[in-house]
Amino acid sequence: LKDISKGDPIIEIPYRMALDLGRESADPTLPATAFLQKYCAWRSGADVPPGDRDRGDYFDMLPPFLSDDCLGSTDFFSDSALDMLQSPMVKEETLERKKLVKLRYERDIESMTQMSSNLYQWDGEAATEDHLLWASWIITSRVLTVQGPPESSFSNRLLIPLIDMCNHSRKSPHILTGRAMPGGLLKVVAGVDVKAGDAIDICYGGGVEGNDRFIQDYGFLDSSPEAYKIVAKKLLGKGRSIAKMTAAEQEVELQSLKATTLEEDETLLGNCSEIDERAALGYRIGMKHAIRRLRG
């Protein structure tokens, strides 16, 4: 261990070691399909392209299928847990993402498993729709969007070993930099002096995303009050937000949160043991506190 000065790299990963899943898009199921094929080939011990032969150690470090890490994401919530969010906005988006997964699976994976017994094999059986749902969550939660060469206006989706294992802190001063291009280096650069032994965190979502995104995309809730305040401002029509809501949408969300009181929610949380239900209760409790604070 050693001290690192502000402006020096903390982590440097050559671009060739990253898994490049193509250009940025709004649909995570396409890169998830490519990732799942590579992951299944690794699990089954099948022959893989030369560029993928050394990825086993990285794949082995990813959150396993249906582990606690992914079960905190709304993609894996039961119907009752989705309702417990008291957020029609989050529930609707979650169900739409599941529809995308279903359509992608039927179109691109199910047909391939019927044509070949070597493709998309998971422990000797054909990969299921749930495996693609897990792969899509891996993409959403871990992929970093990185600019291409200077002459290009495109950005690529990369899975970057070590860098994608950094935990989240909204207060992290450290900077992600680099380009998705041959010979490129992908770095976490120190935003302040770092002492030997200090934890290295990065800020997920660029510091502008709230817990409506965290519970969907990452599978956990940011404990920072700001993470709830961002969403509460959106519901109350205060401040600036990238994702604008209509007055009708705001009213639906606010009325849904009135279905129970804070005291009732906290009692329920104390008696709840299911991962998804505890996450849903934690979200709505945090939202009610944030709205109460904003309203004074």
Side-chain angles (χ1 to χ4, degrees):
L1 298 178
K2 66 177 184 178
D3 296 343
I4 299 173
S5 298
K6 178 180 178 180
D8 288 346
I10 301 171
I11 304 173
E12 282 187 327
I13 303 295
Y15 165 70
R16 60 181 172 78
M17 293 181 63
L19 181 55
D20 192 329
L21 295 164
R23 291 179 181 172
E24 180 185 17
S25 73
D27 181 3
T29 65
L30 182 58
T33 300
F35 163 73
L36 184 60
Q37 184 176 9
K38 294 176 184 292
Y39 190 88
C40 284
W42 165 71
R43 281 183 64 92
S44 64
D47 289 336
V48 296
D52 292 337
R53 287 175 186 164
D54 297 327
R55 300 198 189 279
D57 288 342
Y58 172 64
F59 285 163
D60 197 40
M61 296 176 73
L62 293 173
F65 175 62
L66 296 186
S67 64
D68 288 354
D69 292 294
C70 61
L71 294 181
S73 164
T74 58
D75 285 346
F76 301 91
F77 277 21
S78 65
D79 291 341
S80 61
L82 280 177
D83 288 334
M84 288 173 71
L85 287 164
Q86 295 182 348
S87 174
M89 168 183 69
V90 173
K91 179 180 178 179
E92 181 180 352
E93 185 175 337
T94 297
L95 294 178
E96 285 300 317
R97 270 205 315 276
K98 286 188 173 184
K99 286 181 185 178
L100 286 176
V101 169
K102 179 178 177 63
L103 290 171
R104 180 72 64 184
Y105 179 80
E106 292 174 346
R107 184 175 63 192
D108 292 352
I109 295 180
E110 189 173 34
S111 58
M112 295 301 293
T113 61
Q114 293 169 352
M115 292 170 56
S116 172
S117 60
N118 296 322
L119 290 174
Y120 296 105
Q121 292 298 299
W122 192 288
D123 294 343
E125 302 288 338
T128 66
E129 189 177 317
D130 281 342
H131 290 117
L132 181 59
L133 186 64
W134 167 80
S136 295
W137 172 77
I138 289 287
I139 297 303
T140 303
S141 65
R142 304 185 78 85
V143 154
L144 294 168
T145 301
V146 179
Q147 289 183 319
E151 67 275 10
S152 169
S153 61
F154 297 110
S155 297
N156 284 28
R157 291 184 166 197
L158 306 183
L159 283 168
I160 311 172
L162 294 183
I163 291 180
D164 73 356
M165 294 177 183
C166 291
N167 288 327
H168 163 73
S169 171
R170 196 166 288 270
K171 296 181 179 179
S172 173
H174 305 313
I175 302 162
L176 297 170
T177 185
R179 288 190 178 273
M181 56 184 289
L185 283 174
L186 309 166
K187 307 176 186 180
V188 177
V189 175
V192 295
D193 291 341
V194 179
K195 296 295 183 183
D198 285 353
I200 302 302
D201 300 319
I202 59 176
C203 182
Y204 295 3
V208 298
E209 300 290 3
N211 271 334
D212 56 338
R213 292 255 52 91
F214 273 68
I215 198 169
Q216 294 183 76
D217 298 345
Y218 302 112
F220 69 90
L221 292 167
D222 182 347
S223 60
S224 166
E226 184 65 21
Y228 292 104
K229 185 179 180 181
I230 288 170
V231 192
K233 281 186 171 181
K234 185 163 57 176
L235 300 191
L236 297 175
K238 296 185 176 183
R240 296 180 179 179
S241 173
I242 296 173
K244 296 290 186 182
M245 299 179 69
T246 66
E249 290 170 336
Q250 291 168 341
E251 184 62 23
V252 168
E253 288 287 307
L254 293 171
Q255 287 300 319
S256 296
L257 287 166
K258 291 179 180 178
T260 55
T261 66
L262 259 174
E263 292 71 23
E264 290 171 336
D265 293 345
E266 288 165 350
T267 299
L268 282 172
L269 183 62
N271 298 318
C272 181
S273 59
E274 297 296 326
I275 292 174
D276 56 353
E277 293 181 357
R278 287 187 63 82
L281 287 167
Y283 176 77
R284 81 192 203 199
I285 288 171
M287 286 303 306
K288 290 174 187 181
H289 278 299
I291 290 170
R292 180 179 290 182
R293 284 192 293 268
L294 281 175
R295 283 176 165 169

